[in-house]
Amino acid sequence: MFGGSEEDDADFLSPTGGARLASLFGLDQTVTGAGNEFFQYTAPKQPKKGQPATAAGLASQKSPTPTPTSGPPSVFIATAVHAYRFANGQYVKQGKYGAAVVGSHSTKEYRILLYINQQQQVTAARIHSGFVLTVQPNNYSTFYDDQRQNWSIMFESEKAAMDFSKQLCIAKYNSIPSPDSVLHQDLIIGEGQGVEIGDSLEVAFTGWLFQNCGLGQVFDSNVNKDKLLRLKLGSSKVIKGWEEGMIGMKKGGRRFLLIPPALAYGPQGVANRIPPDSTLAFEVEVKRVRLVKDLGSNGQNLGHRDSLVPSPGPNQENLCTDPAGSLPSMLPPKPGQPDASRPSAEREPAVR
């Protein structure tokens, strides 16, 4: 259908090598104050009264023309994907598209776009507090567009899939006027049973200050250290945002977490590390899991288990914190292999 050819692959690449992508959108490549690269998006002109709308202008007609003070929308990330549309009970391959997260911090309006070029936008989905991007194995993710059409997109690398999911989560958080709960997004699902209150984990993490609507300074990380953070869910030894966010994670899973100040360090902050009333962002990977159910079935004493996995938490001397997010309830097969155990609308694309 609309799929791009192999020689057009560079048109869809993200801002790290996006001169050709910029030319497709009429964009200027710039860098935000927070250090995140993006493109300035020049929105298609509104059709004059009495003239038919062009394909490029359809989406823009749904909202008023931005005022000069609001500034143009921005492209926060753009990358190539293999797109599949759900139709007649199965996913049908559409071809290679570009996928982008675009929006405006001033208006707090954000969208996912699937596109070929500025004149051939394929579909769009408004990003809001209830928007769901479901991460699947093998670099697949699924979502519904504004017409409630189900799409499955396959990224060309694990890193591309993770980076896109992070930017989606950031846009979702920024779309909320006054966030008061933890917002999380799966990056990698992991395997096995999801963790619950009472289970013990060992995790690797990186924490950022969330500043100017994006990731700011890293304030703590154990990714390049030998020692993992040991944590028991429900022990109240870490900030509340971690306790809420880690629920449901699996061994090998990764999540991106955004925690509002009330569920982090609040108005007191942490001296010389975290300013008062700071929103925090975390990426967490679960390295090891010890489930209460498994230990109980082995006949071990639950009290003894508590001592096997200590639960150090973030404090002013030892900043160690934990993010998490929701997990899809079902896993798809490898690309191209249908899974009869799942409802047809949730299966991975049947390539055609």
Side-chain angles (χ1 to χ4, degrees), residues 33-34 36 208-218 275 278-281:
N36 297 324
W208 296 265
L209 298 177
F210 191 72
Q211 300 171 314
N212 300 319
C213 299
L215 297 183
Q217 178 182 354
V218 173
S278 290
T279 295
L280 304 180

Side-chain angles (χ1 to χ4, degrees), residues 167-218:
Q167 288 296 330
L168 180 283
C169 188
I170 290 172
K172 187 174 176 179
Y173 189 88
N174 288 331
S175 73
I176 304 172
S178 300
D180 59 1
S181 60
V182 179
L183 190 63
H184 49 68
Q185 174 64 50
D186 293 305
L187 305 178
I188 298 175
I189 295 175
E191 56 186 20
Q193 182 177 336
V195 298
E196 301 174 353
I197 295 296
D199 295 337
S200 298
L201 317 174
E202 292 186 27
V203 301
F205 72 94
T206 297
W208 296 265
L209 298 177
F210 191 72
Q211 300 171 314
N212 300 319
C213 299
L215 297 183
Q217 178 182 354
V218 173

